[in-house]
Amino acid sequence: MWRLKISEGNGPWLQSSNGFLGRQVWEFDPNAGTPEERAEVERLREEFTKHRLEKRESRDLLLRLQYAKLNQFQANAPTMKIEKSSDVTEELISASLRRALNQFSSLQAHDGHWPSDYSGILFIMPILILSLHVTGALNIVVSSEHRREICRYIYNHQNEDGGWGKQILGPSTMFGSCLNYATLRLLGEVPDASNVALAEGRKWILSHGSATAIPQWGKIWLSIIGIYDWSGNNPIIPELWLVPHYLPIHPGRFWCFTRLVYMPMAYLYGKKFVGPITPTILALREELYNTTYDEVNWKNARSSCAQEDLHYPGSKVQSILYSCLNKFVEPTLNIWPVIKLRERALSSLMEYIHFNDETTKYIGICPIDKALNMICCWVENPNSDEFKQHLPRFYDYFWLAEDGMKAQVYEGCQSWETAFIIQAYCSTDLTNEFGPCIKKAHEFLQNSQVLQEHPSYEKYYRHRSKGSWTLSTADNGWSVSDCTAEALKALLLLSKISPNLVGQPIKQERLYEAIDCVLSFMNKDGSFSTYERARTSSWLEVSVLNPSESFRNIVVDYPSVECTSSVIDALMMFRDQHPLYRNNEIEGCVQKAALFIESKQRKDGSWYGTWGICFTYGTMFGIKGLTIAGRTYDTSSSIRRACKFLLSNQQPTGGWGESYISSENEEYVDSGRPHAVNTAWSMLALIYSGQVERDPIPLHRAAKLLINMQQDTGDFPQQVSYVYMN
């Protein structure tokens, strides 16, 4: 039986800056669990598979099963459903709130954070498996139990048409289908008469253009494992890293995710690395194409992309650029003595890769660069310590639920979610009832702050880190503007509560370091991006540099309303308690940031949300940021228009429900059913704007819906509410 292990790590190849605090690893113990518990696990798995096409999101029921036994809180009273004609009373709200907080408390880990699933992207697990395959480490990292659960997940999220999407709610794509099909084959699945799912997957791929029509990221991964020729790729020249940094095209100016993913891609392209050609690889060469592998026209395949994946076609400028690179630049760079330049570029790239590995304790910023970096370390030296240190960190990305074993898009959201949960507890008058829970969370958040700068960080194009919080754990090492802001808010709220109840407040020096870090993120216009300040121009994204047909806005770290609003809130809360520290800078920052938020409002009154779904999410942050900056419904036309937008999209049920398609289409799309998180976001936005005083009826209708959506456990339905790289 599987068990989630928290804040543990041992062995010569694991490193941590703070005792592995927040680390989440699922381990299989054949002797764990009673017969009844094992039977219940199988029932939950069967139930998900039975309804997999109707309900795509898992509910983390295996985690809940484990924690119900570990944290034996008093059982919640059954929920009370409110009739249409009934009013929402304070008694009903308090009872619902107490049920939710009881459930939250029961799901807290012993180290103070709340373990959770951050997955849903269907190409992440294939990337991890492919990287383990080419380095010969698949059987070292992935046990037979891992294989069983990974296959379960992939089959559970196969679409009815036979293909796989980019994410669990999406239609089938060539990227998702080819990578998941190849992963199943490498895990030992055989396309025989008994495996209808594999046959349907292959049928979808061949009927939509075959693997030649996979988008750029897919072409690269298939080239790495040996089922797509490198000549079918447009060049990713390593020499770009040697141009002067002041040029806007230097990769050091790209958004960090793109920079860190294309860095090892450029190395592997420069090496034209191909993994071992096994019988399975040879079979895949025959299974994924409509012609024999030797007859594929790789030159034509460079620009081939299935319509299902072609969201952002390349520009004419890019076509000309690729033509020049293919005909002149790449051939020249591979002849002596010019090839010496390539050798220098590859050596430089490995220096950057090693720095990123070391400063993230071999976790990487995300699983994509982690997998690619490991391959590069193996190519450089298969017996190196660097390669060996990568292997145990794969488990940091694996997550198990009733739908199988999946790969998270990040190492987790430990710091981010703990900060918000603390704020939720503090917003109630029930803190005295949950003191031990809040105290543990307080300790976790304090101990998750990044306390030191990475050595020579500016040389490697990193932003400062000291004083910040990451999205996940301190070991991840990547400071984030809004994660730091939300952690600050949580700690400032806790400093107002008796330390006898919630523990000692964070030291003033560390608060000041956090403020210094937050202010260092500010762009010239007062806005805030995610990991760094914006470093290059958006015109490069559109016309030249973004080579991906499937992902947009990946070159520039664009400022967002969400990050900017979170920072405004944290700065104003800090200034109220510490009015003398950098007061003038904080005031100037807040005013400029508010102007930025106003400038990004759309004609319909909404704001686009970059990191959540979508206009509901962005509009909540837009309204909150403006109100914190001093705007009101009466004085701000932006707030009035935003409230009109939200109220116009309230469903007849009383709730809100926005589809993930909004993020892709950049237009509000109603999902047709209420969504608990969308409804909560909309309610918060309206409350910030003063809707209670103007007309509380829309809020009462929404509150009634949320109370009726609550389950007997205190939970609410698990529904996708975030996006990742549109």
Side-chain angles (χ1 to χ4, degrees):
M1 192 167 173
W2 290 90
R3 286 285 183 258
L4 180 64
K5 301 293 186 68
I6 297 295
S7 294
E8 294 184 15
N10 55 66
W13 307 117
L14 274 172
Q15 304 175 28
S16 176
S17 62
N18 64 348
F20 303 100
L21 185 68
R23 187 173 189 237
Q24 308 171 153
V25 174
W26 286 91
E27 291 184 0
F28 184 78
D29 180 354
N31 300 315
T34 65
E36 292 78 14
E37 288 171 337
R38 296 179 189 179
E40 177 62 8
V41 168
E42 289 308 314
R43 186 191 70 80
L44 295 174
R45 288 168 172 163
E46 290 171 7
E47 189 71 12
F48 182 90
T49 300
K50 181 179 178 181
H51 300 287
R52 68 181 187 86
L53 296 176
E54 304 148 31
K55 180 66 176 174
R56 300 298 185 99
E57 305 99 326
S58 64
R59 295 160 56 196
D60 251 348
L61 295 177
L62 303 192
L63 171 73
R64 280 156 171 74
L65 194 65
Q66 176 178 333
Y67 273 66
K69 187 175 181 179
L70 285 176
N71 302 329
Q72 295 183 0
F73 277 72
Q74 183 177 355
N76 275 321
T79 55
M80 296 177 62
K81 302 303 179 184
I82 308 175
E83 302 296 331
K84 286 186 178 180
S85 58
S86 302
D87 293 330
V88 178
T89 65
E90 184 176 349
E91 181 184 2
L92 287 169
I93 292 173
S94 295
S96 176
L97 181 60
R98 189 171 273 106
R99 277 194 297 271
L101 294 181
N102 275 332
Q103 176 68 348
F104 258 129
S105 300
S106 74
L107 295 172
Q108 187 181 31
H110 65 81
D111 67 356
H113 89 281
W114 279 265
S116 63
D117 176 10
Y118 185 24
S119 65
I121 307 301
L122 288 176
F123 59 80
I124 301 294
M125 182 60 85
I127 281 172
L128 297 180
I129 297 301
L130 300 187
S131 68
L132 290 169
H133 163 76
V134 298
T135 57
L138 187 56
N139 292 330
I140 297 172
V141 173
V142 178
S143 68
S144 60
E145 294 296 334
H146 283 97
R147 287 175 188 255
R148 182 179 296 110
E149 293 305 320
I150 292 169
C151 290
R152 185 194 308 276
Y153 181 77
I154 294 175
Y155 285 132
N156 269 333
H157 292 285
Q158 186 175 21
N159 287 330
E160 200 166 9
D161 62 8
W164 286 269
K166 193 166 68 175
Q167 46 99 353
I168 61 172
L169 297 183
S172 298
T173 63
M174 190 62 72
F175 187 30
S177 298
C178 284
L179 262 61
N180 279 283
Y181 182 92
T183 298
L184 288 170
R185 294 287 283 112
L186 291 173
L187 290 174
E189 296 295 285
V190 180
D192 56 24
S194 64
N195 196 327
V196 177
L198 266 182
E200 290 297 310
R202 182 178 182 230
K203 180 180 177 182
W204 191 95
I205 292 167
L206 297 180
S207 65
H208 288 78
S210 84
T212 56
I214 198 170
Q216 190 217 27
W217 281 25
K219 293 181 193 298
I220 292 166
W221 276 103
L222 296 189
S223 298
I224 289 169
I225 67 171
I227 58 175
Y228 188 98
D229 197 89
W230 277 110
S231 63
N233 289 270
N234 284 312
I236 310 172
I237 57 170
E239 291 76 12
L240 190 60
W241 284 84
L242 300 180
V243 305
H245 182 254
Y246 60 77
L247 294 178
I249 62 170
H250 190 285
R253 297 185 174 277
F254 299 174
W255 183 39
C256 58
F257 274 96
T258 301
R259 177 170 81 240
L260 294 172
V261 167
Y262 278 95
M263 180 192 301
M265 281 183 177
Y267 180 86
L268 295 170
Y269 175 84
K271 288 280 190 177
K272 303 298 189 296
F273 168 75
V274 177
I277 306 303
T278 65
T280 303
I281 293 298
L282 291 173
L284 282 167
R285 286 182 175 183
E286 300 305 316
E287 293 166 20
L288 293 181
Y289 297 95
N290 285 317
T291 184
T292 62
Y293 188 76
D294 293 337
E295 293 176 343
V296 174
N297 187 323
W298 298 112
K299 181 179 178 181
N300 290 344
R302 291 174 192 160
S303 57
S304 176
C305 181
Q307 286 301 310
E308 292 78 7
D309 298 75
L310 187 61
H311 300 300
Y312 313 105
S315 65
K316 290 184 178 179
V317 174
Q318 279 182 317
S319 297
I320 295 170
L321 177 62
Y322 283 141
S323 179
C324 291
L325 288 172
N326 280 304
K327 290 181 180 179
F328 307 112
V329 178
E330 180 62 17
T332 302
L333 289 170
N334 280 279
I335 59 175
W336 194 90
V338 186
I339 198 171
K340 294 293 184 181
L341 192 65
R342 171 142 300 181
E343 292 171 2
R344 180 184 161 202
L346 294 175
S347 176
S348 177
L349 285 176
M350 281 309 303
E351 182 183 348
Y352 293 128
I353 287 167
H354 288 315
F355 176 83
N356 187 53
D357 285 343
E358 291 163 9
T359 54
T360 62
K361 303 297 184 287
Y362 292 83
I363 296 168
I365 195 174
C366 72
I368 305 171
D369 76 304
K370 188 246 184 327
L372 288 163
N373 284 3
M374 185 189 72
I375 298 173
C376 294
C377 291
W378 187 84
V379 171
E380 184 184 47
N381 180 358
N383 297 310
S384 67
D385 289 352
E386 290 81 2
F387 168 67
K388 293 172 185 175
Q389 289 179 89
H390 265 289
L391 297 178
R393 284 297 191 176
F394 272 79
Y395 300 116
D396 295 56
Y397 286 105
F398 292 168
W399 187 265
L400 187 74
E402 64 271 20
D403 57 343
M405 180 162 279
K406 58 202 83 176
Q408 302 191 98
V409 300
Y410 215 81
E411 173 214 5
C413 302
Q414 294 91 322
S415 293
W416 173 255
E417 294 193 344
T418 300
F420 276 109
I421 294 171
I422 288 172
Q423 292 174 46
Y425 278 104
C426 291
S427 69
T428 74
D429 58 0
L430 303 175
T431 52
N432 287 334
E433 297 181 29
F434 297 97
C437 171
I438 299 171
K439 185 175 183 179
K440 285 197 298 183
H442 190 183
E443 292 172 354
F444 175 85
L445 206 55
Q446 286 201 36
N447 292 330
S448 295
Q449 187 177 19
V450 179
L451 301 179
Q452 295 180 334
E453 294 290 8
H454 299 306
S456 307
Y457 66 93
E458 291 176 321
K459 174 185 176 182
Y460 299 98
Y461 313 114
R462 287 283 292 273
H463 193 78
R464 66 165 288 172
S465 299
K466 187 177 182 180
S468 70
W469 277 265
T470 71
L471 177 68
S472 54
T473 65
D475 281 346
N476 170 271
W478 275 89
S479 57
V480 190
S481 64
D482 57 343
C483 295
T484 303
E486 296 298 341
L488 259 173
K489 288 162 57 180
L491 293 168
L492 290 166
L493 287 170
L494 290 168
S495 69
K496 297 179 179 181
I497 303 174
S498 169
N500 294 329
L501 183 66
V502 300
Q504 294 297 322
I506 191 170
K507 293 179 180 178
Q508 179 175 279
E509 178 187 358
R510 287 172 60 183
L511 275 181
Y512 287 0
E513 288 173 350
I515 289 296
D516 293 343
C517 187
V518 166
L519 289 172
S520 74
F521 283 109
M522 185 173 67
N523 293 311
K524 291 180 181 179
D525 60 358
S527 65
F528 288 80
S529 306
T530 51
Y531 292 83
E532 299 157 342
R533 291 190 293 265
R535 296 178 175 182
T536 194
S537 303
S538 59
W539 65 267
L540 287 169
E541 177 103 48
V542 177
S543 59
V544 181
L545 288 178
N546 185 353
S548 171
E549 309 94 333
S550 301
F551 307 108
R552 64 176 171 81
N553 296 342
I554 64 171
V555 174
V556 181
D557 193 351
Y558 291 96
S560 71
V561 169
E562 304 105 286
C563 291
T564 305
S565 175
S566 287
V567 169
I568 287 178
D569 200 0
L571 291 177
M572 293 299 283
M573 192 181 293
F574 172 82
R575 193 177 70 166
D576 287 344
Q577 295 185 33
H578 303 269
L580 300 180
Y581 190 76
R582 301 186 71 171
N583 179 59
N584 291 338
E585 293 163 87
I586 289 174
E587 177 64 27
C589 171
V590 169
Q591 293 310 313
K592 290 171 69 177
L595 292 174
F596 166 79
I597 291 175
E598 289 174 332
S599 73
K600 292 300 178 182
Q601 189 174 28
R602 292 161 60 96
K603 291 181 181 179
D604 64 1
S606 69
W607 281 273
Y608 181 85
T610 305
W611 298 104
I613 300 174
C614 167
F615 296 100
T616 314
Y617 187 67
T619 301
M620 176 191 68
F621 278 103
I623 290 177
K624 187 172 188 182
L626 293 180
T627 57
I628 293 296
R631 273 62 159 178
T632 67
Y633 183 89
D634 293 330
T635 64
S636 170
S637 61
S638 290
I639 293 177
R640 292 195 295 273
R641 289 164 52 213
C643 290
K644 183 178 179 182
F645 165 79
L646 288 174
L647 292 170
S648 69
N649 285 295
Q650 189 172 22
Q651 297 173 338
T653 61
W656 282 262
E658 186 177 1
S659 169
Y660 76 93
I661 298 172
S662 294
S663 300
E664 297 181 357
N665 295 352
E666 298 191 23
E667 295 291 340
Y668 187 91
V669 178
D670 195 295
S671 66
R673 61 189 179 112
H675 189 293
V677 176
N678 285 159
T679 300
W681 287 340
S682 298
M683 289 180 71
L684 286 170
L686 291 170
I687 290 169
Y688 299 146
S689 75
Q691 183 70 33
V692 174
E693 292 74 24
R694 291 190 304 275
D695 177 13
I697 292 176
L699 292 170
H700 287 180
R701 293 175 59 217
K704 186 182 297 186
L705 173 79
L706 279 183
I707 291 172
N708 285 338
M709 290 181 77
Q710 190 174 30
Q711 300 160 354
D712 286 344
T713 60
D715 265 326
F716 290 86
Q718 296 292 314
Q719 299 162 299
V720 171
S721 58
Y722 71 91
V723 291
Y724 178 78
M725 294 180 68
N726 294 330

